[in-house]
Amino acid sequence: MFNWPLDRVLRISGIKTKPEQISIQGTTDHQNLKFEQIGGILHVHLPSKQTDNYVSTIVIHYNEPLQLDKDIIAESTFGGFALNSTNAQNREQLKVIRYDGKKPNHIQTAGETIAWEVDFPEAGTYKIDVSAHNPNTDPVEIKVHTTNETASGKLTPNGKMVVEPNENNYTDEFVNTSIGTFHIRQTGKQKITFQTTGNQQLWLNSIWLEKIK
């Protein structure tokens, strides 16, 4: 580990097999660490201080072959999930525009359903932020669904941002918009879907889900 998480929780995604033991090198007794395995998400509780000033080593012991979940959406370093063009379940059927040096990876959508599967490690309230560009002259209505809830909002038209002011170089701006919260009632996998209402085009960069309480 090069970077020690501020909340001292190491988050590892994509392995469904539960470890037998987790320890940290650099201590005289190879200190064992507490951990929780929730589906394909592993949370390892780290000591308050790094065991090495540069690179600390965590050893995870398994007593059986690893079962991987390659399609899982990785939890970020400090918690939360970024739903984007690279981890959508139906990404092969979507119009994905790759990063061109100016605009980020994004999905150009006009009413299609975009789907992800999130393995929630904790129940609670999660905020929903949408990063997108609206190329239209009117607001675009959007809806984000879980198994039990729907959050909706309007994304107003975006302008352009300066890239190289001396060259009059401008590009489309992607703006973050909060559209509310979801109440996740239990841990485990849930399908998350995104859709615009009507046939207005929208360029979707990502949806950010983060537990707030």
Side-chain angles (χ1 to χ4, degrees):
M1 291 180 57
F2 294 95
N3 299 308
W4 205 253
L6 295 177
D7 62 356
R8 303 198 304 278
V9 177
L10 171 63
R11 295 169 170 87
I12 301 174
S13 304
I15 303 174
K16 294 189 288 185
T17 307
K18 185 176 180 179
E20 179 68 20
Q21 181 184 26
I22 301 178
S23 60
I24 185 167
Q25 292 185 348
T27 60
T28 55
D29 57 354
H30 285 254
Q31 177 185 351
N32 289 336
L33 303 176
K34 294 181 179 180
F35 63 90
E36 293 99 26
Q37 176 82 38
I38 310 101
I41 303 289
L42 175 64
H43 288 176
V44 183
H45 298 276
L46 303 171
S48 57
K49 293 183 179 180
Q50 296 175 239
T51 55
D52 186 278
N53 290 330
Y54 302 101
V55 184
S56 299
T57 302
I58 309 296
V59 181
I60 306 177
H61 304 265
Y62 292 94
N63 284 343
E64 55 184 298
L66 298 186
Q67 293 184 349
L68 305 181
D69 190 346
K70 296 181 180 180
D71 294 326
I72 195 172
I73 296 176
E75 188 178 16
S76 75
T77 303
F78 301 109
F81 299 88
L83 284 54
N84 53 46
S85 61
T86 62
N87 54 28
Q89 284 186 317
N90 57 334
R91 54 188 175 273
E92 300 299 330
Q93 289 78 47
L94 302 172
K95 184 178 180 181
V96 177
I97 308 301
R98 300 301 179 189
Y99 173 64
D100 61 359
K102 297 180 180 179
K103 293 186 286 293
N105 286 354
H106 61 276
I107 302 168
Q108 290 190 359
T109 178
E112 301 91 346
T113 297
I114 308 170
W116 298 266
E117 192 172 55
V118 177
D119 201 349
F120 288 96
E122 296 179 291
T125 302
Y126 286 74
K127 69 174 183 176
I128 312 160
D129 293 333
V130 177
S131 172
H133 175 75
N134 177 0
N136 307 284
T137 56
D138 297 315
V140 173
E141 293 187 15
I142 61 171
K143 291 185 178 181
V144 183
H145 305 270
T146 66
T147 305
N148 301 307
E149 294 185 64
T150 299
S152 58
K154 288 186 177 181
L155 303 184
T156 56
N158 301 88
K160 293 181 179 291
M161 61 185 296
V162 177
V163 178
E164 294 290 345
N166 295 332
E167 298 178 8
N168 292 323
N169 195 341
Y170 301 89
T171 191
D172 305 290
E173 185 173 17
F174 285 77
V175 175
N176 287 335
T177 303
S178 176
I179 64 166
T181 58
F182 282 141
H183 303 286
I184 303 300
R185 295 176 175 82
Q186 61 185 22
T187 61
K189 288 186 177 181
Q190 285 204 41
K191 189 174 184 178
I192 308 294
T193 60
F194 173 91
Q195 204 171 26
T196 61
T197 60
N199 295 318
Q200 288 178 295
Q201 189 176 99
L202 186 75
W203 301 357
L204 177 67
N205 175 25
S206 65
I207 300 172
W208 175 251
L209 301 178
E210 183 179 357
K211 187 174 181 290
I212 55 175
K213 62 179 178 179

